[in-house]
Amino acid sequence: MALTGVLRPGFAQLRVLDMEKSIEHYTKRMGLYEVTTGNDGRVYLKCGDEFDHHSLVLRKCDQAGIDMFAFKVASDADLDAFEARIVAYGFPVDHVPAGEQPGLGRRIGWTIASGHRIELYAHADLSDPKPMIHNPDVWDMEPHGMAARRMDHCLLYGPHIEKNLDFFTKVLDFKCAERVDMPDGLLAIWLTCSTKAHDIAFVNYPEPAKLHHVAFELKDWHAVGHAGDIITRYNISVDIGPTRHGITRGETIYFFDPSGNRDEVFAGGYTYYPDHPTRTWDETQVGKGIFYYERKMNEAFLSVVS
Amino acid sequence: MTYKITVEGAGEATCYEDERALVAMERAQGFGRLRGLPRKLPVGCRRGGCGICRVLVLEGDYRSDPMSRSCVSAEDEARGLVLACAIYPLSDLTVRLETPRLNKPGSMPAAQTSGE
Ligand code: FES
Ligand SMILES: [Fe+2]
């Protein structure tokens, strides 16, 4: 089957306490590129292996966290079709005009049961650097820092994630690749709209609209090790890793940006196809699912969010 | 130059000039100098964003980095309820560990689209 409807994560908009330090972190250390600064001061960044205009937006604010997570859909007609389905499901949808973020077409947005704002859009201009398309080299601009290739997914914390599961699968045509069920209910879900093991994930948490991490994909396990060297060399606050997730199988490091938002860089992960069954974890093995080598969660996994 | 951070009921940490109080406390616990703590010191982002490291400063001077307002209000900060990872001692300090508060629902910043 071809990918239709929701194609992939498009951008995350993060709130940062110090813009200058944040730009340095995401560009010099993680290897993203600054595309432009908007009139309102928001800064737009991208990875070198992405075609579209930007995949990360930084907004200066006195509170850390995530403003929204947006997905790109295949066509403008999809926006209307999804809007009708979202409204029919019961969530009011609002409209963000083209150009509200430089390089992007019109967007639709709404709030899901966990309190997070999700958006869809169909059009993005191209920006540099981007992959070459005629007699292409492996990269146009030489990768630097952690050499993040793309903004890949996010993990969000909030209440009612069983409602998020229902919504994403019924209305946005996502699939649930993995889930964790505790004796007292659903703890976590990994949802995909593609052949990746996840494009967005949720953990049940009493407080709405929280961010656990935004993740950027690296080339391989060696690149994850190199990212670990950068984290120590530049005294970036590390959470855990390098290690591996049992869930999705990704090789990973969790660390924090200068505002305390958690970032992940990772490599690997299995291929998911929409006919695959959901993989499930229970209370006895969930530690191995989260951190495969440690075989237990660290204290921060369930309690530290922004 | 070093400063002494007394963690009420737990022990003492040595904090170097321009070092985050939390980092000194983490090191002190690693060296077994905060034996009075019943559990592992709460440590999260170390960058003023998650709120897990809230302390009440009972005595002493410090300077601070920006702290996320979802963890510490302006009033909190004025009375010394701060994030240990976002303060740098300017004298010896005495602190009391405080449990993080959960945001009340609806207290997230609005207007996701406007810059500051
Ligand atoms: S450890 Fe996150 S605010 Fe201090
Ligand atoms: Fe992740």
Side-chain angles (χ1 to χ4, degrees), chain A residues 173-237:
Chain A
D173 300 327
F174 280 55
K175 296 282 186 170
C176 183
E178 304 205 33
R179 58 184 287 159
V180 177
D181 292 281
M182 301 292 279
D184 58 352
L186 183 63
L187 176 67
I189 47 175
W190 283 259
L191 304 173
T192 176
C193 60
S194 65
T195 59
K196 288 153 54 190
H198 60 330
D199 290 297
I200 191 168
F202 295 97
V203 165
N204 212 29
Y205 189 72
E207 196 180 349
K210 302 304 276 187
L211 170 69
H212 188 274
H213 67 263
V214 176
F216 297 83
E217 194 232 17
L218 306 186
K219 184 171 55 146
D220 56 24
W221 196 203
H222 285 289
V224 176
H226 181 60
D229 292 341
I230 289 173
I231 285 168
T232 295
R233 169 62 183 84
Y234 293 101
N235 196 25
I236 294 169
S237 176

Side-chain angles (χ1 to χ4, degrees), chain B residues 45-80:
Chain B
C45 66
R46 301 185 193 86
R47 294 295 182 270
C50 76
I52 204 96
C53 67
R54 275 158 44 110
V55 295
L56 182 63
V57 179
L58 302 168
E59 228 184 295
D61 301 322
Y62 52 88
R63 67 179 175 85
S64 30
D65 278 345
M67 307 177 202
S68 182
R69 280 282 169 253
S70 47
C71 313
V72 164
S73 69
E75 303 81 72
D76 287 343
E77 196 174 338
R79 70 180 179 93

Side-chain angles (χ1 to χ4, degrees), chain A residues 153-155 190 198 213-215 245 252 254 264 266:
Chain A
H153 66 267
C154 67
L155 171 56
W190 283 259
H198 60 330
H213 67 263
V214 176
H245 298 303
T252 179
Y254 285 163
E264 173 180 35
F266 80 102

Side-chain angles (χ1 to χ4, degrees), chain B residues 4-97:
Chain B
K4 187 171 74 183
I5 301 176
T6 304
V7 182
E8 199 184 47
E12 288 172 6
T14 302
C15 191
Y16 285 76
E17 191 99 46
D18 293 324
E19 187 171 55
R20 298 165 193 273
L22 183 70
V23 170
M25 288 156 63
E26 282 187 79
R27 184 174 56 237
Q29 187 169 49
F31 282 120
R33 292 179 56 198
L34 297 184
R35 288 194 193 282
L37 274 190
R39 49 158 293 176
K40 198 166 164 290
L41 189 69
V43 175
C45 66
R46 301 185 193 86
R47 294 295 182 270
C50 76
I52 204 96
C53 67
R54 275 158 44 110
V55 295
L56 182 63
V57 179
L58 302 168
E59 228 184 295
D61 301 322
Y62 52 88
R63 67 179 175 85
S64 30
D65 278 345
M67 307 177 202
S68 182
R69 280 282 169 253
S70 47
C71 313
V72 164
S73 69
E75 303 81 72
D76 287 343
E77 196 174 338
R79 70 180 179 93
L81 185 52
V82 294
L83 302 173
C85 70
I87 64 166
Y88 305 82
L90 298 173
S91 73
D92 291 351
L93 295 184
T94 304
V95 303
R96 175 186 298 161
L97 299 185

